[in-house]
Amino acid sequence: MFERNTHYSERCEQIEDLYCTEGNQPKESQPSEEQLHRVYHVLSQTLPKLFVQPLDYSIYSPNLIFENNIRGTRTEGLYHYVKQIALLRTVGHLKFAYVTFEILKITKQSEDKTVKVRWRIRGISALKVMLQFWNWYDGFSVLYVGSDGLVSKHVVDKIMPDDETIKAPPKTIVSPKLALVVGLTAEIYPVVSTMN
């Protein structure tokens, strides 16, 4: 009986060695450190330009799974992912006069073969340009890199805005504009009152 338990524990160690990550990917089906770094590098270069140029889709698997926990949707396939990104870009440009995608923090996790991105979409609406009032949406993405070195899964979650990191722009620009409007109103008012 003791021999059987020894054999059993040896087998468990072999299985443990074979499966070393949280995602239970066998070692031989994990991406290399170079592949993980390539995904990290491409994301850090292309994400900040999301609203001005297309992403580099060469790092994504054709069978990409996209879990959008903000909207509660899940799509499969690169084509549907590209459509979701195009929709995001379109809505961003329709909603805001000026919109940016900021990477607050990006890390590559060698242990679980992921790239994690803390991001913010900042925009200023056309009506609020004069007041320079910014709206923003914070989020967190986890991109899982498969054995082929391509992103096989992208999970997006909403993060509440961090008030400490966003400083309101100085309102000094409003004072001259307000003075200009008040000054013009004062000049126009005497003309209107003489017409009566």
Side-chain angles (χ1 to χ4, degrees):
M1 181 151 163
F2 182 69
E3 277 182 40
R4 188 170 183 217
N5 286 340
T6 306
H7 178 68
Y8 178 75
S9 64
E10 287 174 5
R11 179 71 179 134
C12 287
E13 288 174 11
Q14 290 172 348
I15 291 172
E16 210 170 80
D17 287 341
L18 184 63
Y19 294 96
C20 67
T21 64
E22 291 175 16
N24 288 339
Q25 287 184 327
K27 281 183 181 178
E28 59 269 4
S29 70
Q30 292 182 1
S32 69
E33 203 55 42
E34 293 80 27
Q35 290 171 320
L36 186 62
H37 181 74
R38 179 179 178 268
V39 170
Y40 169 85
H41 179 72
V42 169
L43 289 172
S44 63
Q45 296 299 309
T46 60
L47 283 178
K49 302 171 190 168
L50 175 74
F51 288 102
V52 293
Q53 70 184 42
L55 291 177
D56 180 355
Y57 293 107
S58 69
I59 62 168
Y60 297 95
S61 167
N63 302 317
L64 176 70
I65 297 170
F66 179 51
E67 290 181 13
N68 185 340
N69 294 329
I70 296 172
R71 296 183 60 217
T73 60
R74 182 177 196 267
T75 60
E76 293 185 26
L78 185 57
Y79 173 74
H80 297 291
Y81 183 73
V82 172
K83 284 188 350 185
Q84 292 290 318
I85 299 299
L87 178 65
L88 172 66
R89 290 177 65 181
T90 303
V91 169
H93 286 294
L94 290 175
K95 185 171 182 170
F96 300 114
Y98 178 75
V99 62
T100 63
F101 188 95
E102 299 172 355
I103 294 178
L104 303 177
K105 184 177 184 179
I106 183 168
T107 59
K108 60 179 174 174
Q109 306 293 319
S110 299
E111 303 81 38
D112 59 359
K113 306 301 181 189
T114 61
V115 176
K116 296 181 179 180
V117 183
R118 172 95 162 76
W119 49 264
R120 174 173 291 146
I121 296 174
R122 286 183 55 177
I124 186 165
S125 67
L127 296 175
K128 297 179 181 176
V129 167
M130 193 166 116
L131 300 175
Q132 290 196 358
F133 182 76
W134 289 86
N135 290 330
W136 69 90
Y137 301 94
D138 285 6
F140 187 76
S141 290
V142 179
L143 296 103
Y144 296 87
V145 181
S147 61
D148 54 0
L150 301 176
V151 176
S152 60
K153 186 176 183 180
H154 181 178
V155 180
V156 177
D157 285 299
K158 186 174 183 178
I159 303 276
M160 293 305 292
D162 185 3
D163 294 329
E164 293 177 2
T165 58
I166 291 267
K167 303 283 188 233
K171 300 291 182 184
T172 56
I173 198 156
V174 175
S175 301
K177 290 178 183 175
L178 187 58
L180 180 63
V181 170
V182 171
L184 288 176
T185 306
E187 290 178 19
I188 294 173
Y189 183 73
V191 173
V192 173
S193 63
T194 58
M195 294 172 82
N196 290 334

